[in-house]
Amino acid sequence: MKKIAQILFLLLFSISWHPGIAQNKTPIPHYTYKKGDPNGIGKWYMGREIAYVMGYQGIQWLDRPEREVEENTTTLLRNMAIEPEDNIADIGAGSGYHVFKMAKLSRSELVFAVDIQEEMLEEIKSCKERDQIKNVRIIKGSEKNINIAENSLDKVLMVDVYHEFNFPAEMLSSIKKALRADGKLFLIEYRAEDDKVPIKTLHKMTEAQAIVELKAAGMKLERNIDNLPWQHCMVFVKN
């Protein structure tokens, strides 16, 4: 009996450690820390330093009158081809600049305004109540999770915010789970390839860097719509 028990133990041990059986193959996000750009937090992901988050004190800049001319938001929203039945999330919604424009286009469904700063969410709440907008839902996100149900979103918009995520790998995982099978992620970032774009280096991204990071999250670039003055309009889908 003792010999049989020993054989069973060895068998179980060999199964649990065999590289081809029931092993967790999910890659662990690898962050490194070193001194870099003054506008960065000293934390790096896949060769890119993460930028400081723009605080709620920048609300006036988000709502600046010249933003339409500089970024051509009208064209951006046209690129998204928003349908009335679309559920959409604006991740890093800030003051709600894009949220309320999208809410008018997706009248019958929800636009989720997600941010981690209470002050930003309060601003969105105030505007929502003032204008009696019914199809905007305010969500307090975290640094690792957008806090939206799995398989519930048709489109996700991120405007000039991804480069500030403290945990980009975890956030992309959360976003991917929330997207439906045919969902689309619209990643809008100032073009780092263009020195004429008047934005600090760490607050810009190249298409190549975005592809590398999104590929690691299991997403692929469907197309980069090149019709915005300063920004990439990169459309990613599940791989």
Side-chain angles (χ1 to χ4, degrees):
M1 182 64 71
K2 184 177 180 181
K3 187 173 182 180
I4 293 174
Q6 289 175 335
I7 292 172
L8 286 172
F9 174 80
L10 289 172
L11 181 61
L12 289 170
F13 183 84
S14 65
I15 290 175
S16 64
W17 281 94
H18 192 280
I21 300 176
Q23 297 299 305
N24 182 6
K25 297 181 180 180
T26 304
I28 299 172
H30 181 61
Y31 300 111
T32 56
Y33 300 84
K34 60 181 178 179
K35 188 175 181 180
D37 192 293
N39 297 294
I41 65 173
K43 181 177 181 179
W44 299 68
Y45 179 61
M46 304 192 80
R48 175 183 63 85
E49 186 177 9
I50 297 168
Y52 276 112
V53 173
M54 189 188 75
Y56 67 90
Q57 296 87 350
I59 282 180
Q60 287 187 335
W61 186 80
L62 293 175
D63 293 332
R64 66 196 185 278
E66 60 271 25
R67 187 169 185 180
E68 172 62 32
V69 174
E70 294 174 350
E71 299 184 7
N72 200 343
T73 305
T74 300
T75 297
L76 165 58
L77 297 181
R78 193 179 298 124
N79 290 345
M80 294 181 69
I82 295 171
E83 300 290 343
E85 65 274 12
D86 281 344
N87 278 338
I88 310 167
D90 185 350
I91 311 301
S95 64
Y97 181 83
H98 296 88
V99 168
F100 295 112
K101 295 177 187 297
M102 292 190 293
K104 293 178 182 178
L105 300 172
S106 182
R107 292 183 181 276
S108 61
E109 295 301 328
L110 287 171
V111 176
F112 296 88
V114 184
D115 210 285
I116 63 172
Q117 298 184 66
E118 288 285 358
E119 295 85 355
M120 295 292 198
L121 298 176
E122 284 297 322
E123 176 69 13
I124 295 173
K125 181 181 178 182
S126 175
C127 294
K128 177 185 175 181
E129 292 175 351
R130 181 195 65 205
D131 297 334
Q132 297 184 331
I133 297 172
K134 305 296 184 183
N135 63 331
V136 168
R137 182 173 296 175
I138 299 170
I139 302 289
K140 176 70 180 295
S142 74
E143 289 189 325
K144 296 184 179 181
N145 200 314
I146 64 172
N147 293 332
I148 295 178
E150 188 172 345
N151 194 36
S152 62
L153 296 175
D154 299 289
K155 295 180 172 78
V156 168
L157 176 65
M158 292 195 293
V159 179
D160 307 324
V161 68
Y162 172 72
H163 63 273
E164 297 177 352
F165 287 168
N166 206 350
F167 295 91
E170 290 84 349
M171 284 292 285
L172 287 175
S173 176
S174 175
I175 290 167
K176 184 183 175 186
K177 287 178 182 177
L179 275 172
R180 290 174 176 151
D182 59 348
K184 296 181 185 294
L185 166 60
F186 291 80
L187 180 62
I188 316 302
E189 290 284 346
Y190 288 111
R191 296 192 298 268
E193 299 91 337
D194 187 353
D195 292 336
K196 295 179 182 178
V197 175
I199 299 294
K200 293 177 180 178
T201 301
L202 240 58
H203 289 273
K204 300 194 284 187
M205 281 191 74
T206 65
E207 176 186 307
Q209 183 67 30
I211 289 173
V212 168
E213 296 186 31
L214 273 289
K215 182 179 179 181
M219 302 192 75
K220 64 180 180 181
L221 182 68
E222 182 181 74
R223 57 180 174 152
N224 188 351
I225 308 173
D226 186 20
N227 61 1
L228 300 181
W230 289 349
Q231 298 154 305
H232 290 295
C233 181
M234 297 175 281
V235 186
F236 286 89
V237 295
K238 291 185 178 183
N239 191 355

